[in-house]
Amino acid sequence: CSRDWSSDVCSSDLTSRVLLPVGGVGADNLASYRTAGASGAGFGSSLYKPGMSASQVGERARQLADVWRAAAA
């Protein structure tokens, strides 16, 4: 595998695999993961940081969901 995971993923057969990236996944790169064949993603600090309100977390979740849906179009 090269350091560029996306070229390795894009050149492999993902039809029988589930790819769920975690760690460093956020609104700025989520579409790239989906385009490369990710089935979903795990979010940590891109979704929640200590001290955030529920409405702030909800807004980030909506933003991530919007990015995910837009990448499928």
Side-chain angles (χ1 to χ4, degrees):
C1 286
S2 70
R3 288 180 169 254
D4 179 11
W5 73 269
S6 61
S7 63
D8 294 328
V9 168
C10 290
S11 65
S12 66
D13 176 19
L14 292 178
T15 57
S16 63
R17 294 180 182 92
V18 175
L19 178 65
L20 297 169
V22 297
V25 180
D28 60 329
N29 60 8
L30 182 58
S32 295
Y33 284 107
R34 178 127 194 210
T35 301
S39 303
F43 305 103
S45 61
S46 65
L47 179 61
Y48 172 79
K49 289 189 170 99
M52 290 177 67
S53 69
S55 86
Q56 289 172 310
V57 175
E59 180 55 37
R60 283 190 176 190
R62 281 185 287 283
Q63 180 186 23
L64 290 164
D66 289 346
V67 168
W68 183 260
R69 283 190 291 270

